[in-house]
Amino acid sequence: MYKPEIKIPSREDILAVLRQSQSPLTREQVFEHLKLSEDQIPIIERRLSAMERDGQLMPNRKGLLLLSTKLDFVAGKVLGHRDGFGFLNRDDRGPDIFLSPREMQKVLHGDRVLVRIIGTDHRGKPEGTIVEVTERRTNRLVGRLVSERGILLVIPEDQRIKHDILVSPKDVGQATSGQVVTVEIVEQPSRHTQPIGRVVEVLGEMDDPGMEIEIAVRKFDVPYEFDHLTMNQAESLPAEVEYKDLKGRVDLRDVPFVTIDGEDARDFDDAVYCTPAAGAKGSWRLLVAIADVSHYVEPGTPIDQEATKRGTSVYFPRRVIPMLPEKLSNGLCSLNPHVDRLVLVCDMVIGPKGALKGYQFYNAVIHSAARLTYTQVWDALTDPQSMGAKAMGGTLGDLDNLYALYKVLFEARQKRGAMEIETVETQVLLGPDSKIERIVPKRRNDAHRLIEECMLAANVCAADFLERSKHPALFRVHEGPTVEKLQNLRAFLKTVGLTLEGGEDPSSKDYAELMKKVAGRPDQELLQSMILRSMQQAIYTPHNSGHFGLAYPAYAHFTSPIRRYPDLMVHRAIKALLASKRYVPMPLDEREFEDFNPKRKIDKSEEIARWDQAGMWFSSTERRADEASRDVMSWLKCFFMKEKVGDTFQGHVTGVTSFGLFVTLDSLFVEGLVHVSELGSEYFQYNDGLHELRGERSGIRYRLTDAIHVQISRVDLDARRIEFRLVQGMKFEQFVRDSAPKAHGRPGKGGRRSNPEALAQDVTAAGLTAPVLPPAERGGAGRTRGGNKKQAANESRTKSAAEKQRRDEIQKAKRVARAKPAAASKMRSGRKK
């Protein structure tokens, strides 16, 4: 039965009423101020309850509604830390509030709370106390069941949760001590009591194949099973494209589209075809056909609701948790070769210099001619006479057209000022037991870049079409550096002889020019990483501010609707415009819209609020998927390194913090930590801008890109952490650098790094002391190795004594001259003096 349209006041309307009121209001008074009808009141009741749960409203003992902001309460989400303390991620996007370990005893990571600020911590950041827990978000945990003196506990795998869950013997089920289990919390923690739970699922032993994935999906709350409603709807879909689906579509089944993906790809979102444009010399016509998922997945259906929860497919080694059921993701929507498939096409004309001359979107049906891999395409392009190239037949000519267009687009990309980042990606090769056998580097070739440029062009057209049509949508926004990050980057670049142009507001082109200077340097990968860290994280939002890294004024994700829900929303918006309609996303808060009516008209502010809500949710699901994938990879690497404890490797410093150095091994591509306590028994000052740790007494500096030898000392599977120990005996010149900026990152002949005498003079001039090296290691100009060993030893002892005396004098002078504590943070390592 059709329900009449009901205009419902938004949350902001309710908050505005309470802000304007001089005193707290009852619910009935709020209804009067909003001038609600009887039909509106039940829906507003649920909305008020939702606002109370989210901490926006706080009823007092008399039932009057108070604004939490007027009570100096701050609402937000609790973020735990593996060291026991936590932070409040505020709803108002203000600075995080520190929560002490004592406060964290009341809650679990992920809970929503109200916090009152009570002061500042030792770093000057706001500190708070939890006033009320508004919502318990952590109801299930995955961990190991252990028995301690007859008491059964589940120790959570998530290091951000420091509570052990008490389990009664009658609630253990079939689980045995040492097994990995899922526990349901039946009694939440308080300041004086531990949480109590019961085992609801036994996953198995920690070393079982695939256990790391089972843990990760539960640890990060990744939906991994489709409910029966979703599966029933998927089963009701046809196995192939039906004739009735072709109505109103352009028939492109005679166009030889091809898909180009990795060898292990199972779902194919996109197919491409390129040919010279008719009547425009030097121009190209590029067709990018994307799977029309929106034809089968309608808003509000069980498949759509499940896809909304997932937000994205999650990729693990040898396993994928798809966003859509397999019948869609690998079958009906996948652009498999030699079968008809429904698509949404972006048809573009690109000029001889890479400029977009025009484009159009339309619904179509295609019949993919071939499924190609990046390796096949690259081999055919580099050797057209090879057997593989000849086997492609006429397809090879179409690939030549694509490659010619790629060169044009790549040149335009460079002129536009987009950043070109070339990193060495790694690929893990697993054995039969699903554990790592080895890690190998994997470099991209022009076949990868070819498809990337085609997808970028289609994404830009989608964003431009939506913006020109003034239709709200989720843009992929990537903003430039913040002021603080920019200052840190410039300070670091100065130490390696590089500069970033552009003043206080550098452009993408300035960053691109810097990337060109970085290319070919020994520290290229590290510098690229530092440059990327200076920029903000890309997000989904309806408020377009451009894509800084790609140098586009507007950019949207259009090309992967099988595995990304924001792409599906972009498809729906484009198809709505093609049909002269408007697409408005459904609300994500089911509690607030139980009586949701898709035919109800909403105002502009509520429409944008829904897009905002969608942007935040799908940005968070993207981060969730990344965290789960990284967690699995970290576990596999830790398991891989467990047998190598005690072995020595060479690596490079890829991260510097106040508590130590992160080192990546050159041969294994595995990162671990050298704790500051392993660096020696002295104070080490941490300089955030220079990314270095410097010993106060010796002057030894550990900085990014330094090559060092380390020994694997410990592997912690629970914490997903590998610890290294610094191998002593390294040369001094490997750690100390000249304080003056260099013209280039490579040490020149006769420079400071190859001249220990000059190096020691600079260190002395800086008020520091260089450790004395044995004569055999000081191979400076005019000095011969070997010689009289006894004489060399005597000289060494004499110099050591003189050096010690000079060092003691310098330290004494420093203590006298030091008027106030140093500004840099210090960490004490080793034993006390």
Side-chain angles (χ1 to χ4, degrees):
M1 182 178 177
Y2 174 72
K3 295 183 179 180
E5 296 178 356
I6 304 173
K7 178 175 172 56
I8 305 301
S10 66
R11 289 194 181 199
E12 189 56 39
D13 294 332
I14 297 171
L15 293 174
V17 168
L18 292 169
R19 289 192 192 105
Q20 294 168 5
S21 175
Q22 299 297 319
S23 59
L25 301 176
T26 64
R27 289 175 178 249
E28 291 72 19
Q29 289 172 326
V30 171
F31 300 158
E32 290 176 7
H33 280 83
L34 293 172
K35 298 179 180 178
L36 300 179
S37 65
E38 291 185 3
D39 293 332
Q40 293 174 312
I41 290 176
I43 302 176
I44 290 297
E45 284 277 9
R46 285 191 290 273
R47 178 164 290 182
L48 290 173
S49 298
M51 293 174 71
E52 289 178 22
R53 284 192 295 267
D54 291 344
Q56 291 180 295
L57 300 180
M58 186 74 176
N60 62 13
R61 294 178 181 178
K62 296 181 179 180
L64 299 176
L65 295 176
L66 305 171
L67 285 173
S68 58
T69 51
K70 288 189 176 182
L71 298 171
D72 294 327
F73 293 163
V74 182
K77 178 181 176 182
V78 174
L79 303 179
H81 191 276
R82 65 175 59 204
D83 290 335
F85 55 85
F87 297 94
L88 181 76
N89 185 15
R90 300 167 58 150
D91 289 344
D92 60 7
R93 300 185 182 182
D96 288 351
I97 299 173
F98 176 78
L99 300 174
S100 68
R102 181 181 177 87
E103 291 299 315
M104 288 297 293
Q105 290 177 5
K106 308 174 185 176
V107 290
L108 297 174
H109 169 80
D111 288 346
R112 292 190 57 80
V113 298
L114 287 178
V115 166
R116 183 175 65 247
I117 298 176
I118 57 174
T120 57
D121 63 6
H122 64 282
R123 293 169 297 179
K125 294 186 176 181
E127 182 175 356
T129 181
I130 296 173
V131 177
E132 182 181 349
V133 180
T134 57
E135 185 178 359
R136 296 286 187 177
R137 291 283 183 91
T138 306
N139 298 313
R140 284 197 174 196
L141 293 172
V142 60
R144 279 182 300 168
L145 180 68
V146 299
S147 178
E148 293 185 357
R149 299 181 181 180
I151 299 175
L152 293 172
L153 302 169
V154 173
I155 301 174
E157 277 293 319
D158 193 340
Q159 294 285 303
R160 297 170 298 184
I161 296 176
K162 308 310 292 184
H163 297 79
D164 294 337
I165 316 301
L166 290 170
V167 179
S168 170
K170 63 182 176 62
D171 292 327
V172 173
Q174 301 299 316
T176 58
S177 181
Q179 288 186 315
V180 181
V181 300
T182 301
V183 61
E184 182 180 60
I185 298 177
V186 296
E187 187 173 323
Q188 293 285 345
S190 67
R191 176 169 289 179
H192 305 293
T193 60
Q194 283 184 265
I196 299 173
R198 62 185 180 89
V199 175
V200 293
E201 183 182 22
V202 180
L203 300 179
E205 303 296 333
M206 177 62 79
D207 293 343
D208 289 349
M211 181 56 68
E212 67 282 353
I213 297 177
E214 298 296 336
I215 290 173
V217 295
R218 292 164 176 81
K219 178 178 175 180
F220 294 98
D221 199 23
V222 176
Y224 59 93
E225 291 181 337
F226 291 105
D227 58 42
H228 70 280
L229 291 176
T230 301
M231 295 307 297
N232 288 343
Q233 186 191 356
E235 289 302 319
S236 68
L237 294 171
E240 299 294 339
V241 173
E242 297 181 326
Y243 181 76
K244 64 179 182 179
D245 297 327
L246 305 183
K247 184 180 180 181
R249 292 182 177 270
V250 179
D251 192 341
L252 298 179
R253 284 177 287 188
D254 59 335
V255 178
F257 282 93
V258 296
T259 60
I260 305 175
D261 292 274
E263 282 79 1
D264 56 350
R266 295 180 59 196
D267 52 68
F268 310 114
D269 295 89
D270 54 86
V272 292
Y273 173 73
C274 181
T275 186
K281 186 177 180 180
S283 296
W284 299 93
R285 186 181 179 191
L286 173 65
L287 277 71
V288 176
I290 306 299
D292 190 0
V293 177
S294 62
H295 179 80
Y296 299 103
V297 181
E298 297 181 1
T301 60
I303 291 179
D304 181 65
Q305 291 177 354
E306 185 66 26
T308 302
K309 291 177 186 176
R310 298 179 179 223
T312 179
S313 297
V314 187
Y315 294 87
F316 301 111
R318 290 190 178 177
R319 181 177 171 186
V320 177
I321 297 179
M323 184 181 80
L324 300 173
E326 190 172 351
K327 187 168 183 179
L328 287 170
S329 60
N330 300 143
L332 194 54
C333 290
S334 183
L335 305 186
N336 300 322
H338 314 306
V339 292
D340 292 352
R341 288 292 182 259
L342 305 183
V343 294
L344 181 60
V345 173
C346 180
D347 191 339
M348 296 163 273
V349 176
I350 298 172
K353 293 188 178 180
L356 189 66
K357 299 296 185 181
Y359 64 83
Q360 60 177 329
F361 289 93
Y362 50 83
N363 296 303
V365 56
I366 69 167
H367 193 91
S368 177
R371 179 269 199 264
L372 304 176
T373 67
Y374 295 122
T375 304
Q376 288 175 319
V377 171
W378 183 234
D379 289 345
L381 291 174
T382 52
D383 186 7
Q385 301 304 316
S386 66
M387 294 294 293
K390 291 179 180 178
M392 290 183 183
T395 305
L396 183 60
D398 297 331
L399 291 179
D400 288 335
N401 289 336
L402 278 168
Y403 195 40
L405 173 60
Y406 156 70
K407 292 176 180 178
V408 170
L409 291 173
F410 183 73
E411 186 176 348
R413 174 193 182 106
Q414 291 183 311
K415 289 181 180 178
R416 189 174 72 245
M419 287 184 286
E420 185 65 20
I421 301 169
E422 288 297 332
T423 58
V424 179
E425 297 182 1
T426 58
Q427 179 181 9
V428 296
L429 303 180
L430 304 182
D433 59 351
S434 296
K435 301 298 187 294
I436 295 179
E437 285 190 342
R438 66 183 189 275
I439 304 173
V440 297
K442 182 178 68 172
R443 289 188 179 275
R444 296 194 314 151
N445 55 44
D446 281 356
H448 295 83
R449 300 185 187 98
L450 180 154
I451 289 298
E452 181 182 281
E453 287 298 331
C454 292
M455 297 306 109
L456 289 176
N459 287 338
V460 169
C461 291
D464 184 73
F465 182 55
L466 292 166
E467 197 167 45
R468 286 176 183 271
S469 305
K470 297 182 179 179
H471 191 295
L474 287 185
F475 295 94
R476 184 65 169 177
V477 169
H478 181 223
E479 296 187 345
T482 62
V483 175
E484 182 182 1
K485 288 185 175 181
L486 184 61
Q487 290 174 346
N488 290 338
L489 176 63
R490 290 190 190 279
F492 173 71
L493 291 174
K494 188 176 181 181
T495 67
V496 293
L498 294 172
T499 55
L500 172 65
E501 303 297 334
E504 296 181 358
D505 188 22
S507 65
S508 302
K509 208 161 191 174
D510 296 320
Y511 267 79
E513 289 299 320
L514 176 60
M515 284 292 193
K516 290 179 183 178
K517 298 175 187 176
V518 166
R521 290 175 57 117
D523 52 0
Q524 174 182 344
E525 289 185 34
L526 173 75
L527 290 170
Q528 285 184 158
S529 176
M530 296 302 302
I531 292 169
L532 287 175
R533 287 182 199 173
S534 71
M535 291 178 285
Q536 300 180 57
Q537 189 176 30
I539 60 171
Y540 294 109
T541 175
H543 310 289
N544 177 44
S545 56
H547 197 294
F548 185 85
L550 295 173
Y552 285 132
Y555 188 71
H557 276 171
F558 163 76
T559 54
S560 298
I562 291 178
R563 61 186 179 90
R564 288 191 308 232
Y565 198 92
D567 299 54
L568 177 57
M569 298 182 78
V570 168
H571 275 231
R572 287 171 177 167
I574 290 174
K575 293 184 72 172
L577 287 170
L578 294 178
S580 300
K581 297 179 181 178
R582 192 175 186 86
Y583 167 59
V584 179
M586 292 183 65
L588 296 181
D589 193 340
E590 296 177 0
R591 301 170 309 184
E592 192 174 335
F593 292 91
E594 294 176 5
D595 295 331
F596 173 69
N597 179 11
K599 296 182 180 180
R600 178 176 65 84
K601 290 184 178 180
I602 61 174
D603 57 25
K604 186 72 174 177
S605 62
E606 187 172 347
E607 182 182 5
I608 294 299
R610 289 191 193 177
W611 283 104
D612 265 322
Q613 190 181 41
M616 289 187 287
W617 171 246
F618 293 117
S619 296
S620 70
T621 57
E622 180 185 48
R623 290 192 297 271
R624 180 180 67 186
D626 290 341
E627 288 173 350
S629 298
R630 280 196 299 267
D631 187 77
V632 168
M633 194 58 66
S634 297
W635 192 94
L636 289 171
K637 288 182 177 180
C638 287
F639 197 91
F640 175 60
M641 298 299 289
K642 204 166 61 168
E643 297 178 355
K644 295 176 173 55
V645 172
D647 293 353
T648 302
F649 298 91
Q650 179 166 329
H652 283 77
V653 178
T654 52
V656 182
T657 68
S658 58
F659 54 83
L661 310 170
F662 285 98
V663 178
T664 299
L665 305 183
D666 295 342
S667 58
L668 299 180
F669 306 98
V670 172
E671 186 180 64
L673 174 69
V674 178
H675 196 266
V676 69
S677 61
E678 298 287 348
L679 301 181
S681 55
E682 62 174 314
Y683 284 109
F684 276 86
Q685 289 186 340
Y686 170 59
N687 189 312
D688 185 32
L690 299 179
H691 297 275
E692 73 170 18
L693 283 173
R694 187 178 71 176
E696 271 199 349
R697 177 172 51 81
S698 64
I700 291 179
R701 298 180 185 179
Y702 298 93
R703 301 174 69 184
L704 286 171
T705 73
D706 278 337
I708 60 177
H709 283 79
V710 294
Q711 182 186 54
I712 301 172
S713 60
R714 184 171 176 263
V715 175
D716 187 346
L717 274 173
D718 292 337
R720 314 291 195 265
R721 185 167 58 199
I722 302 170
E723 296 180 7
F724 296 151
R725 181 183 297 116
L726 190 66
V727 177
Q728 299 298 323
M730 303 299 292
K731 296 182 182 181
F732 176 67
E733 55 262 44
Q734 286 182 269
F735 298 115
V736 185
R737 297 184 180 185
D738 185 15
S739 56
K742 304 175 182 62
H744 196 280
R746 297 180 179 179
K749 186 176 181 181
R752 291 294 188 254
R753 291 171 84 75
S754 61
N755 190 342
E757 299 291 335
L759 185 66
Q761 291 176 10
D762 287 350
V763 172
T764 303
L768 304 173
T769 303
V772 177
L773 298 173
E777 295 186 359
R778 299 181 62 174
R783 187 179 296 275
T784 60
R785 294 186 177 271
N788 190 315
K789 293 184 178 180
K790 185 175 181 180
Q791 181 180 355
N794 290 335
E795 290 177 356
S796 179
R797 281 194 292 272
T798 303
K799 290 181 179 179
S800 294
E803 196 70 16
K804 183 178 183 303
Q805 182 179 357
R806 184 164 66 90
R807 185 165 59 243
D808 291 341
E809 291 174 355
I810 291 174
Q811 291 299 322
K812 183 178 179 180
K814 277 186 177 181
R815 286 194 294 270
V816 173
R818 188 178 289 122
K820 57 183 179 179
S825 63
K826 300 178 181 179
M827 283 204 71
R828 181 72 181 271
S829 64
R831 59 183 182 276
K832 294 182 179 180
K833 289 186 179 180

